[in-house]
Amino acid sequence: MMHFLLLFSRQGKLRLQKWFTPVPEREKKKIVRDMTTMVLGRKPRSCNFLHWKDLKIVYKKYASLYFCCGLDAEENELLALEVLHRYVELLDKYFGNVCELDIIFNFEKAYFILDEFLLGGEVQETSKQVLSRSIEASDMLQEAEIDNSDYDLELGWP
Amino acid sequence: MALKIVKGSIDRMFDKNLQDLVRGIRNHKEDEAKYISTCIDEIKQELKQDNIAVKSNAVCKLTYLQMLGYDVSWAAFNIVEVMSSSKFTYKRIGYLAASQCFHESTDVIMLTTNQIRKDLSSPNQYDTGVALTGLSCFVTPDLARDLANDIMTLMSHTKPYIRKKAVLIMYKVFLKYPESLRPAFPRMKEKLEDPDPGVQSAAVNVICELARRNPKNYLSLAPLFFKLMTSSTNNWVLIKIIKLFGALTPLEPRLGKKLIEPLTNLIHSRILLCLSSVAVLISLSSGMPNHSASIQGLCIVPRPLSVLSLFIVKYLGLLAMSKILKTHPKSVQSHKDLILQCLDDKDESIRLRALDLLYGMVSKKNLMEIVKKLMLHVDKAEGTTYRDELLTKIIDICSQSNYQYITNFEWYISILVELTRLEGTRHGHLIASQMLDVAIRVKAIRAFAVAQMATLLDNAHLLTGNTQHNGICEVLYAAAWICGEFSEHLEDPMATLEAMLRPKVATLPGHIQAVYVQNAAKLFSTVLRGQEGAPADSKVAQETSQLLIDRLPVFVQSANLEVQERASCILQLVKYIQKLQQKDVEVAEEVTALFAGELNPVAPKAQKKVPVPEGLDLDAWINEPPSGSESEDEGRKTKTKGKAVFAKEESRHTKPRYTEVDEKELAKRREVRKAEQANNPFYIKASPSSQKVYQEAVGVEHIPVVQIDLSVPLKVPGMPMSDQYVKQEEERREKNKADRKKKDKKKRREKGRQRRGDSGPESEEDITPAHMVDIVTEEMPENALPSDDDDKDPNDPHKVCDIQGNLHDGSQVVVSVIFENKCDSFIKSMEFNVMDSLNSKLQRPEGAGPHDSLTVPFQLPPGISNEARFIFSMQSIVMPQKLKGTLTFIVKVSWSCSPQRWLITTMCHLASTRRGRTKVGKMNLESGHVLLIWTRKSKRLRWYYRWREEREIQRWKYPWRI
């Protein structure tokens, strides 16, 4: 099971964090700090796996953004790399050639995509088609509501 | 009302949305904190408005701020408000914020139960989906209990989108509310065959996670998973299933056999390395040697390791190897050079993996080489964490299984001394404990160790040089203790005493100073003993006392209580001794008596193993407590009086009642107790055991002790000291080899026909230790119960017979056996004979032939047990094998005059690495009268003897393993 997924920049700025297990706030901050220092301290061309306490840390760098997740010790590292890659693909498909700024400014969208892909630290759906279909569908729903609500507001009635 | 809403919407136009907030933060890089605090004020205002759109916007911004590390727990209630909006847009934001900010101790979670239940049953599948996603992050035991039923019904929802989410979240519910597992499990099982692949993979995921926690309960699903594995084309699912089988196969060995074929197919058909490496691991963990899949697996994993230099593959290869090492150590050992190369890798993860592997790979032959390599790495390692890791690994490797692989302890001590030169390590105490352990338990090394420690003490200023990193000065603790305790080996105790009393010592941590002071006293006694023999030296002795009297006051003023106390005690003692010395009284003997006797290591479990004497009930009261009603009365009385003064008076009254026993009575009781102890066979007495003598009789090869040059300096310029030993060791081995070859040739000439070919490559057991090293085993109470209540499952029939002998010192196997006579007759003339086998030759005492047996040095009256220790020395051994032995004994039966001779045939297995199980559960009791039961934990053999009517010799075979 995946315990957390973090996205951070080369400067160590956190861009997205998802905790699949309840972790107290202070502990979260500590883990984030440890992860950023550990992962950013790695030399280029070294392997993508680390051990931290009893977790396996798998990270991968895409452009200027580091994707980093913590797994149970029994999990398969390569599968986790595959998960990270699939998430990047999904973001790419959604934003169209995704960059760090997309994630910064639409960070709630990035979360929504992640929520469709992973649930409770497990892969929920592996098919890209099914995933993008459900993401689009919920976006459509949202847009329809916003159109309606604008109409409500113009009328001045709830 | 309408006006208010209109006003809200106009306000909203001027509000910052999330994008504005992010942009603002980026524009205010210098005063970010200030900017954010104004933003938070704004958000607080927004949250006060009634317009849900404004609120959700505020909550969205809060979620962002939460990620930046700001505390937003104060807005929890507003988040709940947004969650309960009927609009999907806002609901989504609300649930997102909740999943990011809520945790188990958030109190508003209680308020959400009904809202979530409503959302779960919403006609809109996306509403339900969002609720499930949010719930997965903040589910609490209460929520899990209340919503378990709702989620269970969702598992059979018409939409696969909901089904898969419901299935996955059930795992979280099981964790928080385990009672739900039983009712939900049948439905979960159904979902494994769901038509939708997403739902199916979700169910596989959940069951894999569950099975990892408790594999036994999921064995019944194996056929279903087997079907899935052969039919599924989804790699994600396949990997999970194979992992699941990895957890199941150890429980059901038959499963492993069945899996070979599909697994080999998978390895062949899919190039996905990921899959194959997983597959290999699982086929290996099935624990079946020599089956095709595992051998193929072995070929697959090392190949990429050696051919490709891809770092990921390297890492995984090492990881796989560490798994293989557990089952097939041989096949990994052949890759030693590759693994040593990995130590040079610039990637720390890979280096650490390689280190882990080394631990399992060392043997007597390569230990020095490997440690030398590691020492080089220690020198050039940057970063203290990695260096500390190396240090602990070196010590782990050397000390594993009771220093099994160390042939030369002088070398080990010098390695430890070299390690003390590391700056800024945290593991000073580790090195110290190793030094103490070796010096105490290896008697032969003490002289050398003491010399080394004396040098260390003399150069203490080097270790304590920079006081910030004083982790290493722990070593001085060990050094001082060793020098003091074994001071009889010291060349110049006076110099060491002087070194220990330098004023600089007062800067060391308190517990170390305390040891210094105590051991200075020990050294003092040694100095006195050495000098009082000659009358001319009495002046020197007096000078020594004066030295102590001069130096000790520094310690008397110490802030540390322990140091203070010890120092003042010893100071007074020395002053008194000085007085006596001035009157020319011989004091040395009396002073030495203070520290007489040897301190033996005590096994950590010793206390637990002390048997409870018969008739002693630990739970019984020694003095009956006042009866319940009385104490209650008392309580009420004190309550009514209400004053503590009264209670105090009461206690003063009662206390003396218990201790009012006069001296005579006490003395009498003591006498009685002593007599009891003398009669009680279970009471620990300090009597030498008989087996020690016997041990010597077995004729252990005596190797001349290498002369030790005590004047070895701490560091030979240009060459680290331990290297000398490596060279020395190599030379010694060469010489041994040559000697052996000579012998072989002689034998060949003598015998003419020689079955054993040439001695082949130098095998493990051929390496003789440099010194006759007696590793003192830890002390245990004499009558320690061979019980193994620690990890033995009483229902497991296999565990009873698993014998672990100690492979001692390379060429010796030590077997301790407890003989217990459970019958009513007297047993005598026990003899134990182990025959040579085709490939091994036991070393025998001079003049004894291969058929002569060893006598067990005691007889067994009825109901008595005794322990014998057998030490087998191998003259040569080629491979691990079983040795067959016979135990014969005579039983004196009261109603039959002729003694009966009984035979038990036993088998010993000389390989300590192989593990196997013998099925004692199936053993047929009717075929014999003697039952041998071996308990694994205690490493002792007990046999029970059952007498039956027939009086013929019974014989059976009973394999046991060492």
Side-chain angles (χ1 to χ4, degrees):
Chain A
M1 198 184 91
M2 200 182 272
H3 287 254
F4 57 81
L5 176 79
L6 303 174
L7 266 66
F8 47 84
S9 68
R10 220 174 340 189
Q11 290 79 33
K13 278 251 159 72
L14 199 60
R15 295 301 178 209
L16 187 139
Q17 57 169 347
K18 187 82 194 175
W19 303 86
F20 298 108
T21 46
V23 182
E25 214 52 48
R26 276 181 59 181
E27 185 72 6
K28 275 185 192 174
K29 276 183 192 162
K30 196 182 164 296
I31 293 176
V32 169
R33 200 175 50 236
D34 281 5
M35 288 306 119
T36 44
T37 45
M38 263 169 65
V39 170
L40 293 175
R42 303 271 296 167
K43 291 185 185 116
R45 289 194 58 76
S46 41
C47 74
N48 304 42
F49 317 120
L50 290 169
H51 279 240
W52 183 81
K53 299 204 174 154
D54 52 350
L55 292 185
K56 268 180 187 165
I57 310 297
V58 176
Y59 73 92
K60 194 161 165 76
K61 192 183 168 193
Y62 287 94
S64 60
L65 212 54
Y66 284 87
F67 287 66
C68 166
C69 61
L71 310 169
D72 272 330
E74 305 91 7
E75 284 290 328
N76 189 323
E77 300 90 339
L78 291 174
L79 196 63
L81 272 184
E82 213 49 41
V83 169
L84 292 183
H85 189 72
R86 179 57 56 91
Y87 182 45
V88 175
E89 281 178 344
L90 287 172
L91 288 175
D92 209 45
K93 194 167 179 192
Y94 184 83
F95 290 110
N97 206 0
V98 67
C99 71
E100 197 180 332
L101 283 178
D102 287 328
I103 296 174
I104 297 173
F105 283 108
N106 300 293
F107 94 118
E108 85 276 22
K109 296 282 182 218
Y111 276 119
F112 294 149
I113 296 169
L114 186 61
D115 285 342
E116 291 300 319
F117 178 43
L118 301 176
L119 194 140
E122 296 285 354
V123 177
Q124 183 186 151
E125 179 58 68
T126 52
S127 156
K128 265 187 274 186
Q129 277 173 338
V130 176
L131 276 168
S132 45
R133 219 180 297 145
S134 57
I135 294 167
E136 271 166 32
S138 37
D139 272 0
M140 291 294 284
L141 191 65
Q142 199 174 333
E143 268 167 38
E145 273 182 357
I146 287 172
D147 289 348
N148 287 340
S149 70
D150 282 351
Y151 182 66
D152 288 347
L153 284 171
E154 272 161 30
L155 274 179
W157 292 102
Chain B
M1 177 71 187
L3 196 70
K4 215 174 175 185
I5 289 165
V6 172
K7 188 170 168 284
S9 67
I10 291 167
D11 279 351
R12 202 184 148 205
M13 282 192 255
F14 301 106
D15 283 344
K16 283 195 199 83
N17 61 10
L18 177 68
Q19 272 77 13
D20 298 328
L21 176 79
V22 175
R23 217 165 279 136
I25 292 174
R26 290 168 75 83
N27 290 337
H28 292 75
K29 282 219 167 98
E30 307 82 45
D31 52 346
E32 195 184 289
K34 201 176 148 203
Y35 178 74
I36 287 177
S37 73
T38 57
C39 284
I40 288 181
D41 287 343
E42 280 171 32
I43 290 169
K44 278 183 183 162
Q45 287 303 317
E46 285 167 32
L47 286 175
K48 278 183 192 146
Q49 293 189 27
D50 284 339
N51 191 328
I52 192 74
V54 178
K55 265 187 194 166
S56 86
N57 184 37
V59 165
C60 188
K61 286 193 279 185
L62 277 180
T63 316
Y64 187 79
L65 292 179
Q66 191 266 346
M67 184 180 72
L68 294 183
Y70 292 88
D71 176 40
V72 297
S73 53
W74 49 269
F77 187 74
N78 302 102
I79 293 173
V80 176
E81 277 182 315
V82 177
M83 271 163 76
S84 53
S85 157
S86 57
K87 295 252 165 52
F88 176 69
T89 322
Y90 309 136
K91 194 186 285 296
R92 207 180 187 189
I93 301 276
Y95 272 104
L96 173 64
S99 69
Q100 294 297 104
C101 313
F102 286 6
H103 43 88
E104 280 191 2
S105 51
T106 309
D107 39 8
V108 290
I109 285 188
M110 285 167 6
L111 305 176
T112 59
T113 317
N114 276 324
Q115 179 59 40
I116 295 173
R117 186 173 285 149
K118 214 175 94 194
D119 287 337
L120 288 183
S121 52
S122 157
N124 183 347
Q125 61 165 331
Y126 294 105
D127 278 353
T128 316
V130 142
L132 284 173
T133 317
L135 189 60
S136 76
C137 292
F138 56 79
V139 60
T140 61
D142 286 343
L143 278 179
R145 194 191 56 230
D146 297 340
L147 297 172
N149 264 328
D150 302 74
I151 300 172
M152 223 148 81
T153 41
L154 287 181
M155 279 168 73
S156 26
H157 199 268
T158 47
K159 300 259 172 39
Y161 178 78
I162 301 297
R163 282 209 300 273
K164 69 187 177 207
K165 278 183 194 274
V167 166
L168 277 177
I169 204 173
M170 263 332 254
Y171 175 63
K172 296 269 172 184
V173 174
F174 293 154
L175 287 186
K176 300 286 176 194
Y177 180 58
E179 287 86 342
S180 60
L181 181 56
R182 201 166 285 276
F185 193 69
R187 201 168 280 180
M188 186 64 80
K189 210 170 130 186
E190 265 168 41
K191 295 298 140 201
L192 282 176
E193 293 173 299
D194 198 278
D196 184 81
V199 181
Q200 203 181 34
S201 84
V204 170
N205 280 343
V206 171
I207 290 187
C208 283
E209 283 297 318
L210 289 172
R212 205 171 284 165
R213 283 163 185 261
N214 187 3
K216 226 186 337 196
N217 295 350
Y218 300 90
L219 265 179
S220 59
L221 292 180
L224 195 58
F225 277 110
F226 195 77
K227 210 176 91 196
L228 274 179
M229 186 170 82
T230 41
S231 61
S232 175
T233 51
N234 186 342
N235 281 344
W236 303 74
V237 175
L238 265 179
I239 290 174
K240 286 276 174 186
I241 294 177
I242 293 175
K243 278 249 163 186
L244 174 73
F245 276 125
L248 293 184
T249 34
L251 297 169
E252 180 55 88
R254 281 174 303 175
L255 206 56
K257 246 177 235 161
K258 238 186 143 185
L259 283 174
I260 299 171
E261 206 195 305
L263 278 182
T264 34
N265 284 343
L266 284 177
I267 294 175
H268 285 308
S269 60
R270 288 169 208 270
I271 307 159
L272 198 62
L273 184 83
C274 177
L275 203 57
S276 68
S277 77
V278 177
V280 170
L281 296 187
I282 180 226
S283 63
L284 285 168
S285 61
S286 64
M288 283 185 303
N290 306 330
H291 74 53
S292 59
S294 71
I295 287 174
Q296 272 168 356
L298 287 179
C299 304
I300 289 174
V301 176
R303 206 191 309 143
L305 182 67
S306 49
V307 178
L308 306 172
S309 63
L310 268 175
F311 32 82
I312 293 183
V313 182
K314 223 178 195 174
Y315 177 90
L316 289 177
L318 288 170
L319 206 63
M321 272 188 165
S322 66
K323 296 263 168 76
I324 297 170
L325 189 69
K326 284 178 201 142
T327 45
H328 300 71
K330 277 273 157 56
S331 49
V332 177
Q333 266 156 9
S334 55
H335 296 281
K336 190 190 85 194
D337 291 338
L338 256 173
I339 292 166
L340 281 175
Q341 260 175 34
C342 289
L343 276 183
D344 294 322
D345 203 285
K346 61 180 180 189
D347 187 343
E348 196 173 306
S349 298
I350 289 177
R351 288 197 304 247
L352 289 176
R353 292 291 103 215
L355 268 181
D356 278 351
L357 265 180
L358 279 183
Y359 178 80
M361 278 178 36
V362 287
S363 62
K364 284 196 165 172
K365 210 167 80 177
N366 59 20
L367 175 74
M368 282 191 175
E369 185 193 338
I370 288 179
V371 172
K372 191 180 152 195
K373 204 106 200 216
L374 291 180
M375 290 297 284
L376 283 180
H377 282 282
V378 171
D379 283 341
K380 57 183 184 191
E382 74 248 23
T384 44
T385 40
Y386 178 59
R387 210 169 47 184
D388 281 356
E389 185 67 28
L390 271 171
L391 193 153
T392 42
K393 266 282 133 56
I394 290 177
I395 290 179
D396 275 357
I397 285 174
C398 291
S399 63
Q400 66 174 310
S401 34
N402 211 1
Y403 307 105
Q404 187 188 344
Y405 298 115
I406 294 183
T407 50
N408 188 337
F409 276 92
E410 280 182 31
W411 165 81
Y412 186 45
I413 290 274
S414 49
I415 285 284
L416 288 176
V417 172
E418 268 174 50
L419 285 177
T420 61
R421 274 185 245 128
L422 282 185
E423 256 176 49
T425 174
R426 290 180 291 113
H427 292 298
H429 59 277
L430 198 64
I431 303 177
S433 69
Q434 282 292 304
M435 284 173 168
L436 286 173
D437 201 34
V438 172
I440 295 168
R441 293 176 59 188
V442 187
K443 279 186 182 144
I445 202 70
R446 282 181 192 165
F448 179 77
V450 166
Q452 290 289 310
M453 295 304 127
T455 345
L456 258 186
L457 282 179
D458 203 31
N459 297 327
H461 57 278
L462 293 177
L463 297 181
T464 52
N466 46 5
T467 40
Q468 302 133 313
H469 311 291
N470 48 7
I472 201 69
C473 61
E474 289 290 326
V475 172
L476 293 175
Y477 176 95
W481 192 87
I482 291 171
C483 281
E485 186 62 28
F486 307 118
S487 51
E488 68 269 18
H489 298 290
L490 267 180
E491 280 264 289
D492 186 3
M494 191 63 202
T496 313
L497 180 62
E498 202 275 323
M500 274 165 72
L501 292 171
R502 282 182 198 147
K504 203 149 187 239
V505 173
T507 57
L508 289 173
H511 65 285
I512 298 178
Q513 281 184 53
V515 170
Y516 263 70
V517 171
Q518 187 74 14
N519 286 289
K522 287 184 198 164
L523 278 176
F524 176 59
S525 78
T526 321
V527 173
L528 284 187
R529 199 178 39 199
Q531 289 169 345
E532 263 187 9
D537 283 349
S538 65
K539 212 175 178 187
V540 187
Q542 283 189 25
E543 273 168 20
T544 320
S545 321
Q546 192 55 46
L547 177 79
L548 277 166
I549 291 171
D550 290 345
R551 297 282 176 84
L552 278 175
V554 183
F555 298 105
V556 177
Q557 293 157 10
S558 167
N560 188 304
L561 275 183
E562 181 80 17
V563 182
Q564 216 181 78
E565 191 187 354
R566 290 191 191 192
S568 50
C569 271
I570 289 165
L571 185 61
Q572 290 313 315
L573 184 74
V574 176
K575 277 183 181 161
Y576 181 66
I577 289 170
Q578 200 188 26
K579 250 186 230 165
L580 289 178
Q581 279 173 334
Q582 280 158 0
K583 289 180 201 157
D584 277 336
V585 183
E586 295 255 319
V587 286
E589 209 165 297
E590 277 162 48
V591 178
T592 334
L594 284 176
F595 306 109
E598 195 166 310
L599 299 178
N600 280 335
V602 176
K605 278 192 203 138
Q607 182 63 42
K608 220 166 69 185
K609 295 268 179 181
V610 176
V612 179
E614 231 172 282
L616 172 64
D617 182 5
L618 286 175
D619 294 329
W621 288 98
I622 295 173
N623 289 310
E624 278 297 326
S627 70
S629 61
E630 217 179 273
S631 67
E632 239 179 58
D633 276 347
E634 262 177 27
R636 222 173 288 149
K637 253 191 253 166
T638 43
K639 241 184 211 168
T640 46
K641 303 247 168 169
K643 286 292 166 199
V645 184
F646 184 75
K648 249 185 202 167
E649 257 175 19
E650 270 282 296
S651 66
R652 210 183 300 152
H653 246 297
T654 47
K655 254 188 192 163
R657 216 193 298 155
Y658 296 119
T659 45
E660 254 177 278
V661 186
D662 60 8
E663 281 296 302
K664 268 186 202 164
E665 176 71 22
L666 270 179
K668 216 167 116 191
R669 280 190 197 171
R670 208 173 293 136
E671 282 303 314
V672 172
R673 200 165 55 234
K674 268 189 188 160
E676 239 171 50
Q677 284 168 6
N679 295 332
N680 191 347
F682 292 111
Y683 196 79
I684 313 163
K685 279 162 286 189
S687 61
S689 48
S690 56
Q691 51 262 38
K692 286 275 157 65
V693 187
Y694 178 67
Q695 192 184 324
E696 240 112 21
V698 188
V700 174
E701 192 182 9
H702 284 280
I703 300 144
V705 178
V706 176
Q707 277 300 315
I708 301 158
D709 187 8
L710 282 178
S711 62
V712 182
L714 190 62
K715 189 170 184 176
V716 178
M719 182 180 186
M721 213 172 49
S722 55
D723 285 1
Q724 288 178 330
Y725 289 101
V726 180
K727 274 196 179 163
Q728 211 177 329
E729 183 71 14
E730 272 165 12
E731 279 164 20
R732 198 175 60 82
R733 277 185 202 164
E734 280 300 311
K735 215 175 115 203
N736 277 4
K737 229 188 205 169
D739 283 356
R740 214 175 303 127
K741 266 190 188 152
K742 255 186 236 162
K743 262 187 217 162
D744 274 1
K745 269 182 196 165
K746 243 186 224 166
K747 260 188 212 159
R748 236 171 266 178
R749 241 177 278 143
E750 275 169 55
K751 286 205 171 175
R753 59 182 179 88
Q754 180 65 265
R755 262 184 303 179
R756 196 160 45 88
D758 83 342
S759 59
E762 196 174 20
S763 67
E764 261 307 83
E765 286 75 6
D766 275 354
I767 300 167
T768 47
H771 325 268
M772 201 39 234
V773 185
D774 168 31
I775 300 184
V776 183
T777 45
E778 288 161 326
E779 220 166 53
M780 280 293 233
E782 222 162 81
N783 287 324
L785 295 169
S787 63
D788 26 357
D789 32 14
D790 302 304
D791 64 354
K792 200 183 108 184
D793 176 8
N795 301 327
D796 189 352
H798 305 304
K799 280 197 176 166
V800 194
C801 61
D802 199 349
I803 290 180
Q804 293 267 327
N806 281 341
L807 198 60
H808 215 268
D809 246 353
S811 56
Q812 293 183 355
V813 180
V814 181
V815 190
S816 308
V817 183
I818 286 190
F819 293 87
E820 186 173 1
N821 189 351
K822 287 249 170 174
C823 69
D824 307 328
S825 318
F826 200 87
I827 294 180
K828 60 176 195 175
S829 306
M830 284 187 279
E831 285 180 350
F832 193 60
N833 185 17
V834 179
M835 310 278 272
D836 292 349
S837 79
L838 204 63
N839 293 316
S840 70
K841 206 158 146 44
L842 284 167
Q843 196 149 8
R844 306 204 178 254
E846 267 184 30
H851 298 292
D852 290 353
S853 38
L854 310 160
T855 33
V856 180
F858 48 72
Q859 302 182 332
L860 284 179
I864 296 298
S865 65
N866 205 342
E867 182 188 345
R869 237 174 100 186
F870 300 99
I871 300 187
F872 299 100
S873 312
M874 303 303 299
Q875 209 168 47
S876 66
I877 184 164
V878 180
M879 52 195 245
Q881 59 199 285
K882 282 176 185 167
L883 280 183
K884 200 167 147 187
T886 324
L887 180 71
T888 56
F889 54 92
I890 294 176
V891 184
K892 256 190 179 170
V893 188
S894 52
W895 36 268
S896 125
C897 313
S898 59
Q900 306 286 323
R901 188 160 267 272
W902 290 62
L903 279 167
I904 309 170
T905 312
T906 51
M907 308 269 272
C908 325
H909 195 281
L910 272 178
S912 62
T913 45
R914 283 262 184 93
R915 280 233 217 115
R917 282 175 168 175
T918 326
K919 282 185 183 151
V920 80
K922 284 188 183 165
M923 202 157 59
N924 197 351
L925 259 182
E926 281 157 25
S927 61
H929 300 175
V930 182
L931 168 63
L932 285 163
I933 291 186
W934 186 266
T935 46
R936 189 220 319 246
K937 192 71 187 194
S938 59
K939 298 177 182 169
R940 268 155 206 192
L941 180 77
R942 286 205 222 178
W943 58 264
Y944 296 95
Y945 161 61
R946 270 189 18 187
W947 182 250
R948 280 173 62 186
E949 284 302 306
E950 310 98 62
R951 268 165 282 152
E952 84 273 14
I953 297 169
Q954 285 285 346
R955 186 181 170 180
W956 71 16
K957 277 185 185 167
Y958 180 76
W960 100 65
R961 290 171 180 282
I962 295 178

